[in-house]
Every structure is written in structure tokens, then in C-alpha cells.
């Protein structure tokens, strides 16, 4: 009996980011080249399209802010390297913005399949607007998927990197709409004894035993 094809196994939070080697606008690039840095790896549907052009301008705008946080930026679509080169040159010529980050040309779709960037129900020929935040040990730490028709909010991507880095460095969580400088969430106690200790802790502001905040 014929077996139904297995659905692709998408990278999940907490798992190793899938290794790849691919041609990019900066030459051959490998995931392992980014080891030791944070990485925002995003896909866009197609070169020379309007929403993607607005996104490239917005990604260029946050590129330095990401670098300041030890985070590299890498794009991908299933266009050719020549289309990528022509499009980034056109963006610079017409819109005055230089695209400094590399863009993977994934005509074979190998990387896009590995990262589950193609949503066949939406388009079989374009990558959706996916973002993977990958940490310096190359673990997937966050995943965002947006449809073809909605341009992403790049401020949110910087905020997400800030939140993940704060979690790692301070052992805390971050509340809804958190911004650097705001109070953070102290992880909830996981035993009765710890809950009693928490109740006595003067260094934290508790709205309830499980919901405590503090300033950094
Ligand atoms: C765009 O970038 O404008 C776009 C690309 C693919 C589908 C819809 C919009």
C-alpha cells in the first residue's frame, strides 16, 4: 500500500537550527559561519515585489541595531542570485538604501524546505514571510510566520532579540509588550516551599505568589 508522504518536519523552538550551505549575495554561506553570534534568518516571497521591498528597507533600517546586539541578519528567497543582485542594486539606485546583509538564493528550495518556509496552501512558488531567531549555539529560539500579504514589524524583531538576550543574561521572563527598561517577570515558584520563600522576598513586587515582577 502506498504511504502518504510525510509532512515536512519544521524546526521548532529549542531544537538545533538545520545546517545548510548555500549561495548568497555575499558568496557561499553556511549556518555554521554564524556560530557564536545571534542570527535573524528571514525569508521573503520574491524579489522585485512591493511589500518585500518595504521589508528590505525596514530590515536595512534595523541592521545596525541588530549588530549592536551581536546579531547578524540573513535573508532568503527562492529567486536566483542574479535576481537578488539586480534587486538590491535597484533598491540602492532608486531608494538610496544599501542592503548590507547577505541574501540566500535558494532556487533549489533546499534551505526553504529545511526551514518550512514554503506554505503550499498559500503559494507553492514563494516562501512565506518567516523569521527564525537563532542563538549563538545555533538553537532555534523563536519563530515568526507571516502571510504573503502582510509586511512584518521589524521593531518587534529587535524587541524579540532584546527579550531573549535579557532572559539568557538575567534568568527572567518578559511580559506582554515589554521593552528594555520595563519591569521583568520573575519565573513562578515551582514548589510550595519556593512559593513561601517568594512571599517573603523583599526584592520583588508580587501581585500574587505566582506573579512577581522586578526592575533590572
Ligand atoms: C509583495 O511583496 O508585494 C508580495 C509578494 C508576494 C505576494 C503578495 C505580495
Amino acid at each position: 500500500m502506498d504511504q502518504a508522504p510525510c509532512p515536512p518536519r519544521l524546526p521548532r523552538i529549542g531544537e538545533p537550527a538545520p545546517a545548510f550551505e548555500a549561495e548568497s549575495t555575499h558568496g557561499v554561506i553556511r549556518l555554521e559561519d554564524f556560530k557564536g553570534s545571534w542570527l535573524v534568518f528571514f525569508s521573503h516571497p520574491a524579489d522585485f515585489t512591493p511589500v518585500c521591498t518595504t521589508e528590505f528597507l525596514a530590515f536595512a533600517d534595523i541592521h545596525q541595531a541588530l549588530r549592536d546586539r551581536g546579531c547578524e541578519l540573513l535573508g532568503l528567497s527562492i529567486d536566483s542570485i542574479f535576481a537578488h543582485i539586480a534587486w538590491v542594486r535597484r533598491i540602492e539606485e532608486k531608494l538610496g538604501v544599501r542592503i548590507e546583509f547577505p541574501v540566500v538564493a535558494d532556487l533549489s528550495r533546499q534551505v526553504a524546505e529545511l526551514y518550512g518556509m514554503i506554505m503550499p496552501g498559500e503559494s507553492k512558488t514563494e516562501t512565506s514571510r518567516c523569521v527564525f531567531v537563532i542563538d549563538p549555539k545555533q538553537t532555534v529560539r523563536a519563530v515568526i510566520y507571516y502571510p504573503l500579504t502582510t509586511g512584518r514589524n521589524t521593531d518587534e524583531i529587535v524587541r524579540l532579540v532584546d527579550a531573549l538576550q535579557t532572559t539568557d543574561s538575567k534568568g527572567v521572563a518578559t511580559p506582554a509588550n515589554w521593552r528594555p527598561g520595563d519591569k521583568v517577570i520573575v519565573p513562578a515558584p515551582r514548589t510550595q516551599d519556593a512559593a513561601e520563600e517568594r512571599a517573603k522576598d523583599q526584592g520583588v513586587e508580587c501581585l500574587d505568589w505566582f506573579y512577581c515582577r522586578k526592575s533590572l
Side-chain angles (χ1 to χ4, degrees):
M1 194 169 74
D2 281 348
Q3 295 236 310
C6 288
R9 176 84 168 71
L10 310 184
R12 295 190 292 200
I13 291 173
E15 294 180 350
F20 62 82
E21 177 178 291
E23 190 175 28
S24 84
T25 49
H26 291 198
V28 173
I29 220 160
R30 297 164 199 82
L31 178 70
E32 69 181 34
D33 297 339
F34 298 97
K35 215 172 236 171
S37 298
W38 287 79
L39 175 65
V40 167
F41 181 28
F42 74 94
S43 58
H44 69 278
D47 298 345
F48 290 99
T49 53
V51 178
C52 295
T53 301
T54 66
E55 287 196 323
F56 260 49
L57 297 176
F59 278 114
D61 211 35
I62 61 163
H63 193 190
Q64 189 54 49
L66 291 175
R67 278 184 170 156
D68 293 345
R69 289 159 171 78
C71 183
E72 299 295 328
L73 184 57
L74 176 64
L76 174 147
S77 75
I78 53 183
D79 292 291
S80 74
I81 196 70
F82 303 110
H84 281 348
I85 293 168
W87 187 40
V88 297
R89 284 171 62 88
R90 182 70 63 86
I91 289 173
E92 186 165 4
E93 182 187 306
K94 295 271 183 189
L95 302 167
V97 173
R98 187 167 175 81
I99 302 302
E100 304 272 7
F101 54 84
V103 188
V104 169
D106 191 32
L107 264 186
S108 70
R109 302 161 168 241
Q110 269 180 349
V111 184
E113 299 282 6
L114 212 50
Y115 278 78
M117 290 166 163
I118 301 169
M119 311 273 159
E122 190 181 36
S123 172
K124 292 184 176 59
T125 57
E126 295 153 310
T127 36
S128 295
R129 300 184 194 279
C130 307
V131 180
F132 291 86
V133 182
I134 298 170
D135 75 11
K137 291 183 182 154
Q138 308 220 295
T139 299
V140 174
R141 296 293 298 278
V143 181
I144 304 173
Y145 287 155
Y146 263 43
L148 298 174
T149 48
T150 308
R152 285 159 283 198
N153 182 330
T154 51
D155 287 342
E156 170 59 9
I157 294 168
V158 177
R159 193 192 76 90
L160 177 56
V161 170
D162 278 335
L164 290 167
Q165 293 183 343
T166 300
T167 289
D168 284 5
S169 63
K170 310 286 185 194
V172 294
T174 52
N177 299 324
W178 176 86
R179 294 257 165 208
D182 291 353
K183 288 182 179 156
V184 295
I185 302 279
V186 185
R190 299 186 78 91
T191 62
Q192 259 176 286
D193 283 351
E196 275 159 34
E197 284 307 307
R198 176 66 54 80
K200 292 183 230 148
D201 187 344
Q202 300 294 305
V204 297
E205 169 196 298
C206 291
L207 287 95
D208 205 332
W209 66 270
F210 66 92
Y211 177 14
C212 299
R213 303 184 297 196
K214 68 173 182 183
S215 300
L216 288 176

